[in-house]
Amino acid sequence: MTTTHPQTSDNSATHTALWALVAVSGVANLVSSVAQAPLVVNLATGLVTLAALTALGTRYLRARRTRV
């Protein structure tokens, strides 16, 4: 059984949206830290950033595997 994964160039909108999410959530995390917001806000923005970075890394590794 073989599965095909989308290449990075096929979903450039997804790629751009993930990077935008990383930037926005990273800035939100920074602001919530500086403003001494409640811990739940800081954790939520950090988890969103981590999830977006994980998705970007997964997409990169899958695209790299199909090129080899």
Side-chain angles (χ1 to χ4, degrees):
M1 179 168 92
T2 60
T3 58
T4 59
H5 302 289
Q7 294 181 0
T8 305
S9 61
D10 292 341
N11 291 326
S12 62
T14 305
H15 187 78
T16 303
L18 283 171
W19 273 114
L21 184 60
V22 168
V24 169
S25 62
V27 168
N29 196 2
L30 176 71
V31 169
S32 68
S33 294
V34 171
Q36 296 179 351
L39 180 62
V40 68
V41 174
N42 203 349
L43 288 175
T45 56
L47 287 174
V48 169
T49 305
L50 181 63
L53 287 171
T54 302
L56 281 168
T58 302
R59 286 173 46 85
Y60 171 75
L61 290 175
R62 285 184 179 171
R64 193 176 111 196
R65 187 181 313 153
T66 59
R67 280 184 263 155
V68 173

